[in-house]
Amino acid sequence: MKRKLLGVIDATTYHDDLEELLTHRSLAALPFAGRYRIIDFVLSNMVNSGIRSVAIFPKMTYRSLMDHLGSGKNWDLNRKRDGLFFFPTPVVDSDLNKIGSFENFAANLDFFYRSSQEYSIITNCYTVFNMNFKPLLDWHIHSGCDITEIHHEDGTPMEMYLVKTSLLIKLIETRNETGYTCMRDVVLDPDQHHSICRYEYTGYAVMINSIQNYFSTSLNLLNSDVWKQLFIKEQPILTKVKDEPPTRYLKGSEVQNAMIANGCLINGTVENSIISRGVKIGKGAVIKNCIIMQKCVIEDNCYLDSVILDKDVKVEAGTILTGTARDPLVVRKGTKQGALMNS
Amino acid sequence: MGKKKCVAMLLAGGKGSRLNSLTKDLAKPAVPFGGKYRIIDFTLSNCANSGIDTVGVLTQYQPLLLNSYIGIGSAWDLDRKDGGVTVLPPYAETSEVKWYTGTASAIYQNLNYLKQYQPEYVLILSGDHIYKMNYESMLEYHVEKRADATISLIEVPWAEASRFGIMNTNEDLRITEFEEKPAEPKNNLASMGIYIFSWNILKEYLEMDARNTKSSHDFGKDIIPTLLEENKKLYAYPFKGYWKDVGTVKSLWEANMDLLNDECDLDLFDHDWRIYSVNPNQPPQYISPEAVVKESLINEGCTIEGEIDKSVLFQGVIVGKGSIIKESVIMPDAVIGENVIIEKAIVPDDAVIPDGTVIRSFDDEIILVTQEMLNGVHPAF
């Protein structure tokens, strides 16, 4: 596997429906499940599948993504040869949501020429799943197909493609003649001469593309069937380590059905919620059906139901914030919520 | 190799025999503590936070786990181009194998390690204690006093003073007398086993001590008394704050329970003095709808379906439905079945506690759970 498969993650995607959570970060860096960023899932899958060379193509607001991934050390990708590569795209006005845009790849064609891996897997950055790509590669080689597209068992294409690196290079080089702008164009063209196959993936997988779906997918993690499919001991989802102490539950805390990351200080009540690293929850505060991101401070006697608090939000004592399951209230990063300003 | 102002030598070869089965396969500094740490994390983090980037770790007893845990020191940001962490095991010379027979002999045998950095000062530490301390301040004090050696002292309760090495000082805190476990202590300032030596003095006296066949080659018993006899300038550095020797099952349990106490001075949540450790990279903890968690410290990777009360749980612990864990310490990856009761106990890593087990102490003794107990051999339950 080591020299066989190259990982290519397209991190250029932007979803308008997630705008409130994407003003300071790229979709790839969206916090998820208390301690992860969405890209951790696909990146860990690649590493767990034996991929040793991963190229990430980010676009705009990639500071948080770069900060998160660093040298790739947490994924064991800080290698002398191969490892983690970043190719921020210089293309400004390309169609944002085409996974594996050939125009983006073309700017870094040298990287593909230099890569010794025979095959490449091109993926999106926002799918929550835990998949081993080894069986996929074996299947692809065995099938003799030119391009394999991964489909979920429910029929949805997962925007992930497996292709010989030499063919990928050819597709990039000939993009102007063929008119193909991305992998999806190739796969959807009925007249082309490449053999296209579908590989069906039967495990849990959700593509995060709206606030509503982010919210429900997050809370779904509390369902142990989902949990067990995502967090597998042999195929761990790796992320940046933060050196937070264990979480401390103080006198008067009541916690039920919750996923809680390290470094939290919990005084109040938490139900059906996901609490990220370093969150403080005050006395008498009630947090229900919420996603609370890193380092939020919720002071005493607050009441929050169906709310997404982005990073570093401070909720002052006695504040009531509520949303609904279909339309959760999103509080932007770094803001302060007071009892009086709340409507 | 660049010149270093101060190099730390961390003695981590201790057996910790009073920790019984916990130190059967690992050295005391490697014993798990506080839900995610090992004891040595505190000393290594203190070094990193004090700006000391060159640390020799002297290992001897059961070093395998300790060696792999320390690795190249990256967890403590001690993987440096120049300096960083170096594990120093005993080694053989042409004539003989030289085990570390005492704290002083361990340092003596690594004088060559120290020489390559041409240090001005050497900080001697032990990897057996839980505390946060700024060694840089102690070094400044040592320099200011123009001392030959500075010893860090902590006030202990008068009643316990006779268990420690007690230092008597004059008004200027210059040490005038050292008494090892005095029957009638004149003072309650105990040595914490932390020393700063000026390099020339250390080298001279270690070499002298090595030639002395009657010496036990120990800092407390041999080097310090000799320095005092020869009227060298030894100063006391009074330390205030949390410091605990977790040498027994009971003190290890107590130190863990201290973390659940609001009055405790040891703050793990202080971002300006983080305690670093090798992170296990596990998912967040999951607290089920049936679970009850009260006044506890719980690490990532745990799955809790029972009741946890005043306890410390390390990473990856699973607690089944109907189980009650009270005033206990559960070490990494232990699996507690259903309807188990555990009170005032330490459960070691990877232990599997079958459904319905009751582990409970009837006096104030802290139970250290062992495999023999679980096999039903032990009469405790």
Side-chain angles (χ1 to χ4, degrees), chain B residues 282-303:
Chain B
Q282 295 204 18
Q285 54 201 268
Y286 172 67
I287 314 290
S288 87
E290 302 84 21
V292 180
V293 181
K294 291 188 268 191
E295 293 179 72
S296 292
L297 196 64
I298 301 182
N299 198 16
E300 62 194 29
C302 289
T303 303

Side-chain angles (χ1 to χ4, degrees), chain B residues 65-132:
Chain B
L65 193 143
L66 199 53
N67 289 348
S68 67
Y69 185 71
I70 293 169
I72 57 165
S74 41
W76 306 271
D77 210 15
L78 289 170
D79 51 334
R80 299 300 175 86
K81 278 210 180 251
D82 189 9
V85 79
T86 308
V87 175
L88 303 166
Y91 55 90
E93 283 182 4
T94 40
S95 55
E96 56 180 330
V97 178
K98 290 179 168 173
W99 293 105
Y100 299 153
T101 52
T103 49
S105 89
I107 307 295
Y108 171 73
Q109 284 171 46
N110 288 290
L111 281 179
N112 283 337
Y113 166 78
L114 287 167
K115 279 175 191 163
Q116 58 183 347
Y117 294 109
Q118 300 168 269
E120 286 172 61
Y121 308 99
V122 178
L123 169 67
I124 311 283
L125 301 164
S126 129
D128 290 352
H129 303 125
I130 305 292
Y131 66 111
K132 286 174 154 190

Side-chain angles (χ1 to χ4, degrees), chain B residues 133-198:
Chain B
M133 179 175 174
N134 190 337
Y135 303 135
E136 206 177 6
S137 310
M138 182 173 169
L139 181 60
E140 279 166 17
Y141 177 90
H142 175 87
V143 174
E144 194 182 295
K145 293 282 184 190
R146 298 167 187 274
D148 292 315
T150 300
I151 304 175
S152 180
L153 302 183
I154 188 159
E155 239 177 79
V156 294
W158 277 98
E160 287 177 35
S162 56
R163 295 202 296 117
F164 292 90
I166 296 295
M167 305 278 168
N168 297 319
T169 66
N170 69 13
E171 278 165 19
D172 190 35
L173 292 173
R174 180 158 173 184
I175 297 166
T176 52
E177 194 183 4
F178 170 77
E179 294 180 286
E180 184 70 31
K181 298 179 181 165
E184 283 171 29
K186 293 176 207 149
N187 201 333
N188 65 337
L189 290 175
S191 166
M192 296 161 68
I194 300 168
Y195 313 98
I196 291 178
F197 288 95
S198 294

Side-chain angles (χ1 to χ4, degrees), chain A residues 33 35-36 73 222 227 239 241-249 251 253 255-260 262-263, chain B residues 34 36-37 74 260 262 268-269 274 276 279 281-289 293 295-300:
Chain A
R35 69 193 296 260
Y36 305 96
K73 188 173 175 170
L222 298 170
W227 167 269
T239 191
V241 300
K242 287 277 165 93
D243 288 294
E244 291 284 359
T247 277
R248 190 165 162 210
Y249 298 82
K251 215 174 257 177
S253 73
V255 179
Q256 266 152 3
N257 199 30
M259 193 163 152
I260 299 181
N262 268 1
Chain B
K36 83 175 275 196
Y37 310 97
S74 41
L260 306 177
D262 285 333
L268 296 178
F269 286 77
R274 273 183 209 264
Y276 300 105
N279 283 270
N281 218 337
Q282 295 204 18
Q285 54 201 268
Y286 172 67
I287 314 290
S288 87
V293 181
E295 293 179 72
S296 292
L297 196 64
I298 301 182
N299 198 16
E300 62 194 29

Side-chain angles (χ1 to χ4, degrees), chain B residues 224-270:
Chain B
I224 303 298
T226 310
L227 287 168
L228 280 172
E229 268 166 37
E230 304 204 358
N231 213 17
K232 293 290 168 199
K233 284 172 81 181
L234 269 61
Y235 277 87
Y237 178 73
F239 172 77
K240 284 200 169 54
Y242 188 93
W243 179 80
K244 192 147 182 143
D245 180 356
V246 286
T248 62
V249 172
K250 182 141 198 270
S251 64
L252 179 65
W253 176 86
E254 280 170 357
N256 275 285
M257 292 300 123
D258 285 343
L259 298 173
L260 306 177
N261 183 350
D262 285 333
E263 316 285 295
C264 176
D265 288 337
L266 187 72
D267 182 7
L268 296 178
F269 286 77
D270 178 6

